[in-house]
């Protein structure tokens, strides 16, 4: 191993140095290339061709290894997995008798799935494999949460062959440990969880389409993109009282209204027809190819009937996807059997039209044949059996006592740790492809930015034309929980939970201009803010703010900015945008008279005017207004303001109202000027708040921090170890770079006594020795890889011969050790083969690169060029 490591180091040392070229060397190479005929690159030398021929003689071929079926150590399982109780053996004999009668009566039907082998290779009745369990997690209490957990937590294994029932059915506990299984194992685990949560759930064995059996959702719409159907509530009709005022008569022409409604209906019908034709055309283009095994592919799913847990009507659950389907869906093509932890039923209905029209009254023995009479489903009485109703009560009791009931489940209680439940997916991540969409799911705390799912929407079937990306986050300190990026419009919308500084709820901005003083919209949690701000809309020239439930009745503020004047000032100092106009609006204050209650204030700063509009009185159709011209020294501090008659105009709706005195008008003007200054300061505060929010968002995206509970000591310890590991890797990388900074000619110059200047003879000698040494090491490395490959192949063949000789008397541990050994050896052989092929491809280039570098080396360039 020491020799192999030394050869690897020397082999990888030269390419890194060969790639290092100065600008002067590149210019010399270009001059040399342009000096050749027709500008063609230099042809490989004879030594390179010889090297290629010698390397081509070295070949490897990996042997074929048959990996036996996965087996489990029975010593790791309890006694209930390894043996059958007397009652279980009796149930198996009862099931065998039921199977014989079924085969005798229905020879053309598929065999029943009754007693597959379990984890230890022991026959177990399928009903006893279901272990009703309620997990201690609220997320899986409802059926949709439990189905989503099973679909995400496990990896899919197809049935092999797809038209035969599986011979083995692993327990739900083993499935959770393996995190993979087939459709029957998926359904058994899901049915165990649903039954434990109080649902009337059953495992169904039948036939389905190819897409359902192979979990192919490429032609299905992503569930996150499907619009939820909202049930519209009927509006209650108001009771018409006898003495209420009648509404005014509708004077519109009924004929014209009918004609208009007819035109609208025709237009809508044509549009609906056009859309339907486009959808049918698109569906025809995306229609999957014909399946030669259509109607023969065996599949298993879950049936949930109405009655328990307030389920209004029955439905199917696809365990691979966790989605629900109606009972008349076209994805399932037929049902053979159904079972739960209490009984087993055989379908006696015609499935020529799939599952459409089927009835699921399991107590009706004309449609479902049950195995155990002790069914919790009420039996439907057959007319021929009415004569038997006169039996004595004692005979009925004796008959009931002779019925065989279901033995308890042999499966261990289903348990899952908090850590495994948080992972949700195998290795913490899973990707699903839908029609024009791709969904990626991640475990909580797996990614540094808290991303838990990412939905990418495309405009084509090949998933190349990206239109929209939705990202969902969790446990972030900045309270961000969703981000939507529309690649068509360039708009990005971020959604935040309550509890964030500045109380931001939504933030929409353009991806091309995320900085301040650009197009953006901010929505706030108004109830958490002192100023009651609900919405802020900003453009490069305007800013609009809307408020809710303020004490001063303010609900609207609008500002128009002008262009900044060009001034010669340092780049660090930035002047604020000049304000041209400000508009504020107020709700009605019932404590003040309407003609004294201000409805709108317009501060026209550019024209130095202030327009004040009052609320409209109930008996009026227009409002009173006042307009003031600002004094020329209004902005001077301590200046004496003067109000003249030409600086004030008034429009009074009611001429009978007394006009205000000059003192009152003067005081009103002074208050308006003060209010204008207050509005200016609030505008500047709003601009500063926008900058603060953007600066905070920039810092949060650079270093995203996640909320970790103080009780989660395991996750905190992991963060510490991760930090130490990064420091160690950085130190190793630094040491490796220092070792690489070595002169590649140093070993060869040592033979000449490390001369300060190289002679012509020494230059040619150095070139010859360097190229010969590289060529020798390249060939030696290829031979070494071949020798290692042959040695590992010989060891594998010996192990295979030993396995063939001792296969009968081998223990479970020996067989498992053999499987692990074969897997490891095949991995190593593939690595050796890939390494040899890559070495053969890169060797000529390394040789030519070293030759070119020697020619351009400043110490030998004058002799070799």
């Amino acid at each position: 191993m020491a020799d192999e490591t030394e050869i690897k180091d020397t082999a990888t040392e030269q390419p890194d140095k060969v790639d290092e070229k100065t600008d002067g060397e590149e210019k010399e190479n270009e001059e040399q290339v342009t000096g050749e005929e027709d500008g063609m690159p230099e042809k490989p030398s004879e030594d390179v061709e010889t090297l290629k021929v010698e390397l081509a003689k070295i070949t490897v071929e990996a042997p074929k290894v048959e990996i036996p079926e996965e087996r489990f150590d029975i010593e790791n399982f309890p006694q209930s997995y390894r043996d059958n109780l007397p009652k279980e053996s009796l149930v198996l004999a009862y099931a065998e008798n039921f199977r014989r009668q079924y085969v005798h009566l229905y020879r053309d039907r598929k065999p029943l799935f009754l007693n597959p082998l379990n984890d230890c290779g022991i026959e177990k009745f399928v009903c006893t494999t279901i272990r009703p369990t309620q997990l201690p997690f609220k997320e899986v209490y409802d059926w949709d949460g439990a189905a989503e957990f099973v679909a995400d937590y496990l990896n899919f294994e197809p049935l092999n062959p797809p038209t035969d029932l599986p011979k083995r059915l692993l327990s739900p506990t083993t499935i959770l440990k393996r995190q993979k299984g087939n459709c029957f194992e998926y359904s058994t685990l899901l049915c165990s969880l649903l039954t434990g949560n109080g649902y009337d759930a059953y495992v169904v064995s039948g036939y389905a389409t190819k897409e359902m059996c192979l979990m192919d959702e490429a032609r299905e719409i992503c569930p996150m993109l499907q619009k939820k159907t909202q049930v519209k509530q009927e509006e209650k009709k108001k009771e018409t009282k006898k003495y209420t005022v009648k509404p005014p008569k509708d004077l519109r022409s009924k004929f014209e209204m009918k004609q208009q409604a007819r035109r609208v209906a025709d237009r809508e019908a044509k549009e609906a027809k056009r859309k339907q034709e486009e959808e049918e055309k698109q569906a025809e283009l995306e229609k999957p190819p014909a399946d030669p095994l259509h109607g023969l592919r065996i599949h298993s799913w879950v049936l949930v009937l109405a009655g328990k847990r307030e389920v209004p009507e029955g439905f199917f659950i696809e365990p691979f996807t966790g989605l629900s389907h109606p009972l008349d869906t076209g994805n399932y093509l037929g049902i053979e059997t159904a079972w739960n932890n209490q009984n087993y039923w055989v379908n006696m209905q015609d499935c020529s039209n799939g599952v459409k029209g089927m009835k699921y009254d399991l107590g009706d023995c004309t449609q479902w044949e049950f195995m155990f009479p002790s069914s919790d489903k009420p039996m439907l009485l057959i007319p021929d059996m009415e004569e038997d109703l006169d039996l004595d009560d004692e005979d009925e009791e004796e008959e009931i006592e002779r019925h065989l009931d279901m033995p308890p489940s042999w499966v261990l209680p289903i348990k899952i740790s908090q850590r495994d439940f948080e992972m949700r997916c195998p290795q913490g991540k899973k990707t699903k492809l839908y029609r024009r969409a791709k969904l990626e799911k991640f475990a909580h705390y797996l990614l540094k930015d808290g991303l838990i799912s990412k939905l990418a929407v495309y405009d084509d079937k090949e998933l190349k034309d990206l239109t929209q990306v939705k990202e969902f986050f969790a446990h972030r300190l900045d309270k961000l929980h969703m981000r939507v990026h529309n690649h068509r419009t360039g708009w990005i919308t971020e959604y935040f939970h309550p509890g964030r500084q500045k109380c931001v709820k939504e933030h929409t901005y353009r991806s091309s201009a995320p900085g301040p003083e650009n197009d953006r919209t901010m929505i706030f949690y108004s109830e958490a803010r002192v100023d009651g701000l609900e919405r802020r809309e900003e453009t490069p020239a305007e800013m609009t703010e809307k408020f809710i439930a303020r004490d001063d009745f303010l609900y609207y503020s609008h500002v128009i900015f002008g262009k900044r004047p060009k001034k010669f000032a340092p780049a660090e100092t930035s002047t604020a945008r000049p304000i041209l106009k400000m508009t504020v609006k107020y709700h009605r204050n019932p404590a003040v008279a309407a003609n004294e209650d201000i409805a709108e204030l317009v501060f026209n700063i550019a024209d130095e005017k202030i327009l004040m509009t009052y609320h409209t009185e109930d008996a009026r159709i227009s409002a009173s207004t006042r307009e003031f011209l600002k004094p020329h020294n209004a902005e001077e501090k301590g200046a004496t303001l003067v109000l003249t008659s030409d600086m004030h105009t008034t429009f009074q709706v009611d001429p009978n109202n007394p006009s205000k005195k000059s003192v009152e008008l003067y005081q009103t003007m002074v208050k308006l000027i003060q209010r204008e200054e207050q509005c200016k300061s609030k505008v500047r505060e709003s601009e500063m708040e926008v900058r603060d929010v953007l600066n905070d968002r920039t810092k949060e995206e650079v270093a995203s921090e996640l909320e970790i509970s103080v009780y989660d000591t395991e996750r905190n310890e992991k963060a510490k170890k991760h930090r130490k590991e990064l420091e160690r890797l950085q130190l190793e990388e630094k040491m490796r770079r220092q070792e690489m900074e070595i002169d590649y000619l140093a070993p060869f110059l040592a033979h000449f006594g490390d001369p300060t200047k190289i002679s012509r003879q020494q230059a040619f000698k150095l070139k010859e020795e360097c190229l010969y040494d590289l060529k020798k090491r390249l060939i030696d490395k290829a031979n070494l890889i071949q020798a290692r490959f042959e040695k590992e192949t010989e060891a594998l063949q010996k192990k295979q011969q030993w396995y063939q000789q001792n296969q009968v008397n081998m223990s479970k541990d020996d067989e498992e050790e053999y499987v692990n050994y074969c897997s490891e050896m095949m991995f190593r052989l593939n690595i050796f083969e890939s390494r040899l092929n890559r070495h053969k491809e890169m060797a000529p280039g390394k040789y030519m690169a070293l030759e070119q570098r020697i020619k351009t080396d400043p110490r030998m360039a004058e002799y070799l060029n």
Side-chain angles (χ1 to χ4, degrees), residues 559-589:
V559 184
I560 299 178
F561 299 97
K563 295 183 180 180
R564 285 189 176 89
K566 295 183 179 180
K567 294 182 179 180
F568 296 97
E572 297 179 356
T573 61
S574 59
T575 58
R577 292 178 293 178
I579 300 176
L580 302 182
K581 185 178 180 180
M582 295 184 299
T583 304
V584 291
K585 296 181 181 180
Y586 299 87
H587 284 301
R588 179 76 173 88
N589 185 3

Side-chain angles (χ1 to χ4, degrees), residues 135 140 143-156 175-176 179-180 182-183 185-194 302 317-322 421 424-426 430 432:
L135 295 178
V140 297
W143 71 265
D144 50 352
E148 183 182 5
F149 168 73
V150 173
D152 292 342
Y153 193 77
L154 303 181
N155 271 338
F156 153 73
I175 293 302
L176 286 175
Q179 286 194 274
K180 59 181 178 179
N182 56 39
C183 55
E185 294 162 346
Y186 266 77
S187 300
T188 302
L189 174 59
L190 179 56
C191 186
S192 300
L193 299 181
L194 294 178
V302 175
I317 300 178
E318 174 54 40
F320 284 159
T321 61
F421 181 78
R424 296 303 293 263
C425 307
K430 178 175 279 191
K432 294 184 177 182

